Amino acid sequence: MSMRRFGWTPLPVGALCGALIASLAFAQGTVAQDKRHHALSLIGEPRKGPDFKHFDWVNPDAPKGGRVRQYAEGSFDSLNPWPVQGVAAGGIGLLTESLFKSSPDEASAEYAYIAEWASYPSDYSSCAVSLRPEARWHDGKPITVDDVLFSLDALKKVSPQHASYFADVDKAEKTGEREVTFRFKVKNNRELPHIVTQLPILPKHWWEGKDANGQARDISKSSMEVPLGSGPYKVKALVPGREITLERVKDHWAKDLPLLKGQYNFDEYQIIYFRERIAAFESFKSGALDYWVESSAKAWAVDFAFPAVDNGLVKKITPARKRVTPMQGFYMNLRRPLFQDVRVRRAMNLAFDFEWANKNLFYGLYTRTGSYFANSELAATGLPQGRELEILTEVKGKVPVEVFTTEWKNPVNNSPDDARKNLSEAAKLLAAAGYTPKNGVLTNAAGKPLEIEVLLNSPAFERVLQPYKSTLEKIGVKINIRVVDSAQYERRERDFDFDMTVHVIAQSESPGNEQRSYWGSAMAKKPGSPNILGVADPAIDALVEKVVFATDRADLVAATRALDRVLLWNHFVVPNWSRNEDWIAMWDQYAGPKTPPERQNAFLQTWWWDEAAAAKLKAARGN
């Protein structure tokens, strides 16, 4: 349901709010007409009413000060995150805010921020918002209706993701001094008020002005000019491609609002880029980096046995997270003729021995991902029944027959015999697809070998790919592992220049319009679109529309399960693995809230600098 998934980072940048009148329960169908809502939710009611003082997951009296230094891998060549060209610097999203903001503690709730309320009729044909009069850009100018109108038009033009996400927004109109009304192309899409309130708001006067050299700015082009923002941070210093330092805006226009009480407490947030993890981790161990989010099971199990951890100077935390498990996997590019045959795609999954990898590479810390909506009620289980079956029956004959007859499950290798049987089945599928051995490599009737390049942006993943490569080569599939830098990786992924790659799609508990971006035929050929697979299937398009136009929560759950089931049986992805906790290490100079948010880490948003702990740490380190 959220565009924020398109640019999630380990330190989420959400900020939250409060404003006016009653909350709303979409799921129960009790949609009041033209009420002014201080918050919106697609699942039940927002937890906080219009008169709340602060959120439960913050320390409202948290002190301000200190710094956080974190690493990023690769490089960057732009401070403009909106066009498809260029690699944007990490943290740059902290400069830009939207009309409403999501809560890291709620499944699908958003609170007014730049806007002070939202209102819409019972048929969801439009949505009006009123801007807070105190909302300001960092240059002191007010955020205006013209900024909102400019933002919608500009983002739909320069960003395929935003063009898809806001596709059902026909136009925005000025309907009051501080009021904007969004007109929708369709009715009865209950998600559209959420979608328009997620619109990032950009400064029209700045983007239509000139830079320091007198050149007109162009939002469609990458740029290293620091953009004007309205968020709690702004850029303080920059080493192009290597470092970006953000500083807290001490006179930020929203600092005294309940929505920001106790949040964004650090004076500085610095991101330092490294070409690879090893050098970055050594910097963390030495104290040149303060905060570390680990993604490797091997590293978490082995690499943190160093003196600072043993002495308690570096603390490890593993907060559990209640959220939909992202689908990480080996994504196959359907634009390649090779992967247009479902038998080839299914063979790729049969050949992957997760159980061996989990035992020998991952220290048993992972579970296999078995759904695009795992760890939620949205995941398909068993055989389709009730409303889900009704929805699937409408596309019967256009989706794999197994959708109706067989529960989808990943192949399991509990023994060497299981591994041999699965690999034998993979070989049979490839033979049925027309591939026969020739000089040890499977070759089709046209004499083209079955050769796959797996594109990676980090050498760390090679240790996972090598056993998979060896297994596939046993049955005649030639695998080439190609590791490139982050800039080249992003360009190649944007241009769909790959055979197979490791990719992640994260979902929310309220899927909607963004499903068109992930799976819609209209996005399959648009460079930079989130449809990384190249799915272009009318049956899947139809199922996506069932999700988008679900009438209530029960209908949404049924439609999403149907979509999940069809995606799985098409074998587009070789699912990887997941965990339901974060792995975080930090030097012991920070303090966090007693009750942290359930669904996101939100470290930058909710923790603070502990002066006493920092002094103790400094003395212990002798510096």
Side-chain angles (χ1 to χ4, degrees):
M1 188 285 291
S2 174
M3 275 293 296
R4 296 181 182 92
R5 287 195 305 278
F6 294 144
W8 185 87
T9 64
L11 298 181
V13 299
L16 308 169
C17 76
L20 289 173
I21 309 181
S23 56
L24 174 69
F26 282 116
Q28 299 174 354
T30 57
V31 180
Q33 182 156 350
D34 293 328
K35 277 192 175 182
R36 293 178 173 180
H37 305 287
H38 82 286
L40 306 174
S41 178
L42 288 166
I43 303 176
E45 297 186 11
R47 292 179 182 174
K48 293 297 182 182
D51 57 350
F52 78 105
K53 304 302 180 184
H54 60 80
F55 290 100
D56 299 335
W57 38 266
V58 300
N59 171 8
D61 301 315
K64 307 295 184 182
R67 68 181 182 191
V68 179
R69 296 170 298 178
Q70 188 182 13
Y71 110 96
E73 192 165 309
S75 184
F76 64 92
D77 60 11
S78 180
L79 300 181
N80 180 7
W82 309 116
V84 295
Q85 63 175 233
V87 179
I92 200 67
L94 287 164
L95 276 65
T96 303
E97 298 294 359
S98 52
L99 296 169
F100 275 48
K101 289 290 186 180
S102 64
S103 166
D105 196 49
E106 300 176 63
S108 179
E110 296 183 344
Y111 295 80
Y113 187 14
I114 289 177
E116 54 187 352
W117 52 258
S119 174
Y120 48 86
S122 58
D123 65 357
Y124 304 100
S125 60
S126 64
C127 179
V129 298
S130 177
L131 305 182
R132 291 183 185 272
E134 66 267 42
R136 291 286 188 276
W137 299 107
H138 291 159
D139 64 2
K141 294 184 177 181
I143 298 176
T144 67
V145 168
D146 284 344
D147 293 321
V148 178
L149 304 183
F150 168 81
S151 300
L152 178 65
D153 290 342
L155 291 174
K156 289 180 74 171
K157 288 177 182 177
V158 305
S159 168
Q161 295 176 355
H162 289 85
S164 174
Y165 198 59
F166 297 109
D168 283 340
V169 182
D170 185 34
K171 59 183 176 179
E173 300 174 331
K174 182 174 183 177
T175 50
E177 181 183 356
R178 298 195 311 273
E179 184 176 292
V180 180
T181 299
F182 297 91
R183 310 290 182 185
F184 304 146
K185 297 177 182 178
V186 297
K187 297 180 180 180
N188 301 315
N189 182 342
R190 66 196 186 101
E191 190 189 21
L192 284 174
H194 279 248
I195 287 172
V196 294
T197 56
Q198 291 171 359
L199 177 69
I201 306 304
L202 310 177
K204 178 182 179 182
H205 70 280
W206 190 86
W207 279 108
E208 291 187 345
K210 295 182 178 181
D211 61 22
N213 297 320
Q215 300 297 313
R217 297 186 179 98
D218 186 346
I219 196 171
S220 69
K221 302 289 180 61
S222 62
S223 171
M224 288 301 293
E225 183 183 14
V226 176
L228 179 67
S230 64
Y233 285 89
K234 61 183 179 181
V235 176
K236 176 182 180 180
L238 190 72
V239 180
R242 293 176 54 191
E243 295 179 11
I244 180 171
T245 302
L246 305 176
E247 64 178 341
R248 183 170 60 88
V249 178
K250 295 181 180 179
D251 61 347
H252 186 229
W253 65 269
K255 65 182 178 65
D256 296 324
L257 294 178
L259 75 162
L260 285 191
K261 193 72 173 175
Q263 299 175 52
Y264 299 109
N265 304 305
F266 299 111
D267 280 349
E268 284 191 5
Y269 172 42
Q270 184 178 39
I271 300 176
I272 304 172
Y273 282 76
F274 293 79
R275 291 190 177 275
E276 42 79 32
R277 178 193 178 279
I278 295 175
F281 192 67
E282 290 301 315
S283 288
F284 173 70
K285 289 167 62 177
S286 73
L289 296 173
D290 307 306
Y291 180 87
W292 189 272
V293 178
E294 187 53 69
S295 60
S296 165
K298 176 181 180 293
W300 189 247
V302 175
D303 290 358
F304 289 84
F306 58 91
V309 175
D310 299 336
N311 298 333
L313 303 182
V314 168
K315 58 185 178 182
K316 297 168 62 180
I317 61 173
T318 55
R321 296 294 171 220
K322 296 180 180 179
R323 59 190 176 208
V324 181
T325 299
M327 174 56 90
Q328 176 181 295
F330 305 133
Y331 281 60
M332 290 168 272
N333 189 352
L334 304 179
R335 303 167 189 85
R336 300 286 201 255
L338 164 69
F339 290 126
Q340 290 171 9
D341 192 320
V342 68
R343 294 168 295 190
V344 174
R345 303 196 299 268
R346 185 182 175 194
M348 294 298 106
N349 197 18
L350 285 162
F352 180 58
D353 192 341
F354 166 75
E355 287 68 29
W356 182 92
N358 197 36
K359 178 182 178 181
N360 293 278
L361 301 178
F362 306 144
Y363 295 79
L365 294 175
Y366 289 129
T367 57
R368 187 88 191 267
T369 305
S371 165
Y372 288 86
F373 301 88
N375 196 38
S376 78
E377 65 175 340
L378 303 168
T381 58
L383 294 178
Q385 299 178 15
R387 177 58 179 152
E388 182 191 352
L389 181 58
E390 291 178 7
I391 292 170
L392 288 169
T393 300
E394 295 182 25
V395 292
K396 194 169 186 177
K398 301 176 183 178
V399 298
V401 295
E402 295 92 341
V403 163
F404 299 94
T405 63
T406 310
E407 181 180 9
W408 190 92
K409 291 184 178 180
N410 277 307
V412 177
N413 294 323
N414 286 327
S415 69
D417 282 345
D418 290 338
R420 283 191 291 269
K421 289 177 182 177
N422 285 327
L423 194 59
S424 175
E425 185 178 350
K428 291 176 182 177
L429 284 169
L430 295 174
Y435 289 93
T436 57
K438 184 177 181 181
N439 299 323
V441 179
L442 291 177
T443 307
N444 64 14
K448 185 174 181 59
L450 205 170
E451 185 173 358
I452 300 170
E453 181 183 86
V454 183
L455 183 68
L456 301 177
N457 68 346
S458 172
F461 223 89
E462 286 189 86
R463 61 186 291 269
V464 178
L465 263 295
Q466 286 295 345
Y468 186 36
K469 168 183 166 132
S470 298
T471 300
L472 284 167
E473 288 179 344
K474 290 178 182 177
I475 57 174
V477 180
K478 186 175 181 181
I479 298 291
N480 299 312
I481 299 174
R482 172 78 166 165
V483 181
V484 299
D485 62 42
S486 60
Q488 185 178 353
Y489 180 86
E490 187 161 329
R491 285 193 295 269
R492 288 189 59 175
E493 190 177 75
R494 178 188 66 209
D495 296 335
F496 312 128
D497 182 18
F498 66 92
D499 297 333
M500 183 184 285
T501 190
V502 178
H503 190 73
V504 180
I505 289 181
Q507 299 281 5
S508 78
E509 293 175 68
S510 296
N513 277 30
E514 78 286 343
Q515 303 304 309
R516 291 170 172 163
S517 297
Y518 295 149
W519 326 114
S521 298
M523 299 296 286
K525 294 183 179 179
K526 291 185 177 181
S529 89
N531 189 345
I532 191 74
L533 291 162
V535 177
D537 185 320
I540 292 176
D541 289 337
L543 293 174
V544 166
E545 293 307 296
K546 292 291 186 182
V547 172
V548 172
F549 288 98
T551 55
D552 54 27
R553 180 65 185 176
D555 196 40
L556 177 65
V557 171
T560 305
R561 289 176 178 174
L563 174 63
D564 185 39
R565 196 179 301 273
V566 170
L567 292 173
L568 291 168
W569 274 112
N570 271 286
H571 298 283
F572 294 138
V573 171
V574 178
N576 285 176
W577 45 83
S578 63
R579 65 186 191 276
N580 290 321
E581 64 181 17
D582 291 332
W583 297 334
I584 297 169
M586 67 184 81
W587 285 89
D588 191 11
Q589 54 197 353
Y590 306 112
K594 293 180 179 179
T595 306
E598 293 182 346
R599 285 174 166 79
Q600 291 182 24
N601 174 15
F603 175 82
L604 187 68
Q605 190 173 343
T606 60
W607 285 56
W608 61 92
W609 180 262
D610 186 327
E611 193 66 49
K616 184 178 179 180
L617 175 63
K618 184 177 181 180
R621 293 173 58 184
N623 57 14

